[in-house]
Amino acid sequence: MQADILFRNAVLIDGTGAPRQRADVAVTDDRIVAIGDLSAWRGGVAHDCTGLVLAPGFIDPHVHHDEIVLTDPDMTCMTSQGVTSIINGNCGFSIAPLTVAPPFPAPLDIILSDEVPRFASFGAYRAQLDAAPPAVNTACLIGHGTLRINTMSDLNRPADAGEIAAMRASLDAALSEGGIGLSTGPFYPPARAAPTAELVAMAEIAQAHGKLYVTHMRDEGDRVRESLQETFQIGREAGCGVHVSHHKCAGLANHGLSEITLAMIDEARKHQDVGLDTTPWIASSTMLNSGRHRQATRVMVADSVPHPELAGRDLADIAAEWGEDLDTALARLLPATGIFFVMDEGDVRRILSYPHTMVCSDGIARGKHPHPRVWGTFPRVLGHYVRDVGLFSLEEAVHRMTGLPAQRFGLTGRGHLAPGHYADLVLFDAASVAEGATFEAPLTPAHGIIGTWVNGRAVWRSGAATGARPGRTLDQRTGSIAGASV
Ligand code: ZN
Ligand code: CU
């Protein structure tokens, strides 16, 4: 028997949560063709994987790489972590459909630069990705904030009936063209004035397509409980599944609150479809003028358009040097992104340990000093939280990074290892896997990721990108494969 690639003698962790087993894996073209004792098989390329874990490539359900998949298609920040599929368009802000000209209101201006082409329809964006694919597979949510920016002349009020109808039609079209779900961000100024009813009206369209409502909730601090209730209500009224993005309890006064929020999620799950993801860090990252600096014990500047030389510096130090208060200094740095130390380690561990939590990077790759999660999230969970802290098993961690998000977002044929499935794979050393990125040096690749394959092609090997760009655009319609179970 002949395969293109043979992985021999690997420690197989298949993404379902099942215990590891020793096995060989054969890949031909873009698929896994056999798993087991394949000693009689021959491969064009054979990898001796003795002592190494072979797992499904990781799926990052929450990133903001809508634009950089076009401008930096090697996507090394993801492939070097073993990530093979990403979901863009989060927090209410997607690159498409976009019908207005720059300057864009924040936070769209930190996701999109002024120079990159705009796409008036999701189909046009998708066509561009299909014509010049990145190294990783991509799916994209459609952002309610983007739709508001397209539709409303004044963002500081609820949408009227005509505007809601226009946004619903636009969302309906984008979901028909392959958008994977709806995202909202009522936390952010362009959507803050949207009342619950407006979000329900949008969620109804997601429901009609059998897709999810994914949200950066209105409040992740003092009113996180009320925001969870609002999210559950939207799901109930629209009849659709809801997904809480980067769940956190921000601000000193709210440390420890995850005991209550997770109990609320647990209770809601008895009656409706609720999911969540989180990042494995006590610091968050978003636009600098989000108000979050008031909740933070420390704020670092991640990127500033007028002052790129100050990336990586503490806001407090910059303000002191300038002889200004924090808010005045902050205003001079805009548009800018910040890193905010707002969470409690106990909450991070509790949320990560919750069995239904997925792992996400929430990566914004812009600038030279992003949050280390952009390059380090998945290895940090596998190394720090699984191996060193012992929060949960390696099998469980891999499941939360693969099978769980694949199932939740309908990524057919991905997320676990089985014959017939796409050959999205990561080979790593469980003893040494760790994030390389730190708050001081955030652009450092992870340790212990030996190789990453997307659709059967190596994209990361021996510490470097291979230059291959085999990524595909994913949606729930196109992933079906004959003879394979999901
Ligand atoms: Zn967000
Ligand atoms: Cu986000």
Side-chain angles (χ1 to χ4, degrees):
M1 300 290 258
Q2 180 73 30
D4 293 343
I5 312 174
L6 268 181
F7 296 90
R8 291 205 188 276
N9 206 25
V11 178
L12 209 73
I13 296 185
D14 71 2
T16 65
R20 65 195 76 182
Q21 59 181 96
R22 267 245 298 276
D24 308 324
V25 173
V27 169
T28 291
D29 194 19
D30 61 351
R31 307 296 171 111
I32 295 168
V33 290
I35 298 176
D37 178 357
L38 308 179
S39 37
W41 285 58
R42 295 289 165 261
V45 183
H47 299 290
D48 175 13
C49 305
T50 306
L52 300 174
V53 173
L54 187 66
F58 305 136
I59 296 168
D60 192 333
H62 188 120
V63 292
H64 296 281
H65 299 329
D66 305 36
E67 183 177 287
I68 72 156
V69 292
L70 300 173
T71 58
D72 187 11
D74 282 335
M75 292 302 294
T76 317
C77 64
M78 297 270 77
T79 61
S80 62
Q81 298 187 51
V83 172
T84 56
S85 296
I86 61 176
I87 298 180
N88 280 315
N90 274 285
C91 297
F93 298 91
S94 54
I95 192 172
L98 187 63
T99 52
V100 297
F104 305 118
L108 198 56
D109 65 348
I110 61 175
I111 298 167
L112 303 183
S113 57
D114 292 356
E115 300 83 45
V116 166
R118 294 183 300 282
F119 303 97
S121 71
F122 184 76
Y125 175 58
R126 188 181 168 149
Q128 178 67 37
L129 280 172
D130 289 342
V136 294
N137 302 310
T138 62
C140 195
L141 300 160
I142 306 303
H144 164 245
T146 299
L147 299 178
R148 274 191 137 234
I149 289 165
N150 289 339
T151 309
M152 298 177 67
S153 51
D154 175 10
L155 295 165
N156 298 311
R157 57 167 177 78
D160 65 27
E163 290 161 340
I164 287 180
M167 291 193 292
R168 279 166 60 103
S170 178
L171 176 62
D172 184 46
L175 294 178
S176 301
E177 292 163 15
I180 201 168
L182 164 67
S183 82
T184 69
F187 169 78
Y188 287 109
R192 209 167 273 170
T196 306
E198 181 181 323
L199 301 175
V200 171
M202 305 307 293
E204 285 170 356
I205 303 300
Q207 190 279 333
H209 287 262
K211 294 178 179 177
L212 290 175
Y213 172 92
V214 179
T215 186
H216 179 150
M217 298 192 301
R218 205 176 284 281
D219 192 304
E220 298 175 300
D222 296 346
R223 295 181 62 79
V224 63
R225 284 167 287 194
E226 290 82 349
S227 294
L228 275 174
Q229 295 293 12
E230 181 187 37
T231 303
F232 302 154
Q233 181 190 344
I234 291 162
R236 285 195 307 272
E237 290 188 11
C240 74
V242 297
H243 191 85
V244 177
S245 294
H246 44 59
H247 183 41
K248 66 174 72 70
C249 301
L252 268 179
N254 304 307
H255 288 184
L257 212 54
S258 63
E259 256 181 82
I260 293 168
T261 60
L262 293 174
M264 288 173 67
I265 291 171
D266 235 18
E267 180 58 31
R269 286 177 54 89
K270 293 177 186 161
H271 316 286
Q272 64 186 111
D273 179 8
V274 181
L276 70 160
D277 53 47
T278 203
T279 61
W281 313 83
I282 58 162
S284 71
S285 179
T286 186
M287 61 196 220
L288 201 54
N289 50 333
S290 65
R292 192 156 266 169
H293 64 289
R294 292 188 196 92
Q295 295 173 317
T297 52
R298 180 186 171 200
V299 179
M300 285 175 88
V301 175
D303 189 28
S304 163
V305 172
H307 290 286
E309 76 283 2
L310 296 177
R313 301 274 317 277
D314 276 30
L315 177 63
D317 296 342
I318 296 169
E321 267 175 40
W322 287 350
E324 285 168 351
D325 61 38
L326 283 189
D327 287 295
T328 312
L330 186 154
R332 279 178 62 184
L333 293 162
L334 299 177
T337 48
I339 298 168
F340 306 87
F341 290 77
V342 289
M343 282 169 279
D344 171 53
E345 178 67 23
D347 285 320
V348 170
R349 291 184 184 194
R350 195 176 294 115
I351 293 168
L352 260 183
S353 301
Y354 182 64
H356 306 290
T357 303
M358 299 166 204
V359 175
C360 75
S361 72
D362 196 3
I364 305 168
R366 183 156 160 171
K368 291 195 169 58
H369 212 99
H371 193 297
R373 68 194 187 187
V374 173
W375 286 74
T377 290
F378 291 81
R380 177 170 169 82
V381 171
L382 299 171
H384 180 63
Y385 283 116
V386 171
R387 182 189 58 234
D388 301 343
V389 176
L391 274 193
F392 39 80
S393 71
L394 192 56
E395 287 84 347
E396 171 80 21
V398 168
H399 173 63
R400 311 270 205 94
M401 297 171 175
T402 58
L404 190 61
Q407 183 184 42
R408 180 126 188 90
F409 289 92
L411 307 182
T412 312
R414 305 186 194 269
H416 76 252
L417 302 182
H421 275 216
Y422 292 99
D424 291 348
L425 300 164
V426 56
L427 185 67
F428 66 93
D429 176 8
S432 67
V433 67
E435 79 273 20
T438 63
F439 287 101
E440 290 69 36
L443 302 180
T444 316
H447 310 293
I449 304 290
I450 313 296
T452 307
W453 289 260
V454 173
N455 297 311
R457 296 189 47 206
V459 293
W460 177 260
R461 286 288 290 146
S462 314
T466 65
R469 293 167 187 168
R472 299 199 186 142
T473 313
L474 306 180
D475 69 35
Q476 286 122 319
R477 296 170 308 164
T478 55
S480 64
I481 39 178
S485 61
V486 183

